[in-house]
DNA sequence: CTTTACGTTGACGTCAACGTCAAGCACTGC
DNA sequence: GCAGTGCTTGACGTTGACGTCAACGTAAAG
């Protein structure tokens, strides 16, 4: 009953839109470590979750090394007080970085909205005043 | 009176935290095109703004080619109807992508908060029960 | 007048993140 | 029994984004 769903390398790669080469690459870097059934890789739910985390980090523009450090934070053992303090500090740094990125995105979105506004204004301009050169030309196609 | 502030390559690079090599690289890719006073590059306010846009795009994880297309959208001429429609479409695509990134960031932030919570809980755990080995040790320093 | 500082153009090096063979094992179907 | 299909491990190639080095021009400072 507790027979978890597993994936072959091709299945997992397909589902998440990467190639098997990418998975092997991440494994070499220590970002993934699937089990082996003989020589074959067997990916379990946990591996899939990790991979999704990696891909999200990639979309956010982090390098694989930094991604490794980030997801390392998620599954770190309690450990001793010093380690916990250190981890908390890294979490704070990471949060600051992500918030900076959020601001960047908001600024970029605001500018895009502005571009869009200008575009629409220009379109109305051209639609409202078709009284320029060559009147009856360039219709709606 | 209208003598704008200008920058040399080293000044601008220093101020924005990149190297002169980076600026020349961006120029080769057509992302920047400063004026020349003889053989020397002279960067004006507009160049600086463009560079800041480029760096923001970089922080967001875009490649330089895509960044070129993005900032190209900002200073595109009105042009004809077809171009305007095309531009609007690209703006929409770009917005969708940025919003996806926002969601990624929000998810990552939420998880970091969770890690932080667990950390603090563990710390309280260790502080509230110092009744283990070596009682009187490891004070607040 | 030479040094020093800052600028210039190539050209090649490097690092990350894969892509792309090549060669081989293991089971499945006919 | 052998031809596919899908997995495996190297090993080398590629692309993007610069770093680095060589060789040279120029303009102010001592």
């Amino acid at each position: 009953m507790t027979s978890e769903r597993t994936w072959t390398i091709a299945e997992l790669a397909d589902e998440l839109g990467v190639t098997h080469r990418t998975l092997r690459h991440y494994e070499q870097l220590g970002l993934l470590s699937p089990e082996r059934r003989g020589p074959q890789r067997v990916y379990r739910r946990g591996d899939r979750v990790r991979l999704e985390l990696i891909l999200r980090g990639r979309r956010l523009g982090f390098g694989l090394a930094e991604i490794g450090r980030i997801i390392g934070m998620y599954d770190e053992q309690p450990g001793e007080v010093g380690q916990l303090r250190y981890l908390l500090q890294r979490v704070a740094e990471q949060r600051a970085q992500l918030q900076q990125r959020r601001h960047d995105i908001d600024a970029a979105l605001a500018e895009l909205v502005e571009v869009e506004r200008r575009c629409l204004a220009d379109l109305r301009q051209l639609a409202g005043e078709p009284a320029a050169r060559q009147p009856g030309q360039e219709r709606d196609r």
Side-chain angles (χ1 to χ4, degrees), chain A:
Chain A
M1 252 321 181
T2 16
S3 62
E4 286 186 25
R5 160 94 206 255
T6 62
W7 289 264
T8 74
I9 192 170
E11 286 168 355
L12 189 55
D14 273 22
E15 279 192 35
L16 299 196
V18 296
T19 70
H20 67 286
R21 181 65 181 87
T22 301
L23 295 192
R24 282 185 41 219
H25 186 50
Y26 294 168
E27 191 173 341
Q28 279 191 5
L29 300 185
L31 297 180
L32 291 176
S33 36
E35 291 173 20
R36 300 289 178 126
R37 185 114 48 222
Q40 312 235 146
R41 292 167 174 84
V42 176
Y43 295 87
R44 307 176 85 86
R45 267 206 332 278
D47 298 313
R48 190 194 160 116
V49 169
R50 279 181 83 88
L51 180 52
E52 286 170 350
L53 284 176
I54 295 171
L55 297 181
R56 195 178 67 195
R58 225 179 47 168
R59 283 196 301 273
L60 293 178
F62 291 104
L64 293 181
E66 192 161 13
I67 290 176
R69 272 173 272 137
I70 295 172
I71 62 183
M73 302 192 326
Y74 294 152
D75 44 30
E76 213 151 309
Q77 301 319 80
E80 41 143 337
V81 176
Q83 276 190 33
L84 281 172
R85 288 205 209 286
Y86 175 61
L87 179 53
L88 273 175
Q89 185 188 327
R90 280 169 55 201
V91 166
E93 289 166 11
Q94 189 60 29
R95 281 181 59 176
Q97 218 184 118
L98 285 174
Q99 270 156 5
Q100 160 72 19
R101 277 200 178 41
R102 254 186 77 117
H103 289 137
D104 285 338
I105 286 185
D106 289 345
L109 278 172
E111 279 158 19
L112 278 182
V113 168
E114 178 57 23
V115 170
E116 199 167 30
R117 210 189 51 68
R118 267 176 26 212
C119 257
L120 290 172
D122 288 349
L123 268 181
R124 268 193 295 277
Q125 200 47 32
L126 292 178
E129 301 176 10
R133 312 163 179 281
Q134 272 104 17
Q137 277 222 335
E138 190 137 39
R139 195 75 185 176
D140 203 9
R141 189 186 157 73

